[in-house]
């Protein structure tokens, strides 16, 4: 194959060979310049994204350290207060005792609460505050009332078991 290319090259007139060589050189230089320009543009884009990536990496490191700290920390002690009493006290502290219809203790670690008409945002804050007392929402039925923002709620709350 090499011999056929050489004979093909030699069969061309000297002027044609010079023109082909010059055109091949120009095409090679143009391709090289295009490659250098593309690499420079990519380098510029990558350099611009480095600070954002470093900030993300720093946040990720902080989050990993916080996760390790939380995993190694002992779990908060669960309240030894009767769950029904604890839930009623938390409802009073949140200002929801007026909306609280009933609290029925299923067992030592489970109660069912019924709210007649309560603001949904207040209900959510109250449930979030119960988490600090190691009480979680097990089951819930929320029904919208005709007044905007008010709901009626029936929920089962369970004391979290230590792990």
């Amino acid at each position: 194959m090499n011999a056929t290319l050489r004979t093909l090259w030699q069969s061309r007139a000297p002027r044609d060979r010079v023109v082909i060589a010059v055109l091949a050189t120009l095409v090679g230089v143009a391709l090289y310049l295009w490659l250098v320009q593309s690499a420079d543009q990519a380098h510029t884009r990558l350099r611009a994204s480095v600070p954002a990536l470093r900030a993300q990496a720093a946040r990720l490191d902080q989050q990993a350290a916080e996760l390790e700290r939380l995993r190694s920390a002992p779990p908060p002690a669960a309240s030894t207060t009767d769950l029904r009493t604890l839930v009623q006290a938390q409802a009073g502290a949140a200002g929801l005792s007026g909306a609280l219809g009933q609290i029925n203790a299923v067992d030592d670690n489970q109660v069912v609460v019924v709210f007649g008409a309560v603001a949904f945002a207040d209900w959510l804050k109250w449930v979030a505050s119960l988490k600090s007392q190691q009480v979680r929402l097990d089951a819930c039925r929320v029904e919208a009332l005709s007044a905007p923002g008010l709901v009626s709620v029936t929920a089962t709350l369970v004391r979290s078991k230590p792990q």
Side-chain angles (χ1 to χ4, degrees):
M1 173 150 177
N2 207 3
T4 58
L5 285 176
R6 181 170 285 163
T7 56
L8 182 63
W9 180 255
Q10 295 297 331
S11 68
R12 298 271 180 208
R15 179 182 163 111
D16 289 347
R17 285 186 281 190
V18 168
V19 169
I20 291 171
V22 167
L23 287 176
T25 304
L26 289 175
V27 168
V29 167
L31 285 174
Y32 176 77
L33 291 175
W34 175 76
L35 180 66
V36 167
Q37 181 189 14
S38 296
D40 185 53
Q41 288 175 348
H43 181 261
T44 302
R45 282 193 309 269
L46 288 173
R47 179 167 284 193
S49 67
V50 167
L53 292 173
R54 284 190 177 146
Q56 287 177 351
R59 272 195 314 273
L60 186 61
D61 287 342
Q62 287 173 340
Q63 290 171 352
E66 178 69 9
L67 181 62
E68 274 305 309
R69 186 187 68 75
L70 290 174
R71 282 186 176 163
S72 65
S79 174
T80 56
T81 309
D82 175 48
L83 184 58
R84 185 178 190 285
T85 307
L86 176 67
V87 168
Q88 192 165 16
Q90 289 294 314
L96 300 178
S97 54
L100 184 59
Q102 54 184 174
I103 301 177
N104 298 322
V106 177
D107 60 31
D108 290 342
N109 292 318
Q110 185 174 3
V111 294
V112 176
V113 294
V114 178
F115 286 90
V118 64
F120 186 66
D122 293 341
W123 157 256
L124 289 178
K125 285 181 206 170
W126 182 67
V127 170
S129 73
L130 287 173
K131 286 183 183 179
S132 67
Q133 300 295 322
Q134 304 300 313
V135 177
R136 66 180 173 81
L137 188 62
D138 188 48
C140 183
R141 188 183 89 237
V142 178
E143 295 177 8
L145 299 177
S146 59
L150 290 182
V151 293
S152 128
V153 178
T154 303
T156 304
L157 300 168
V158 177
R159 187 185 315 259
S160 297
K161 295 179 176 66
Q163 296 175 343

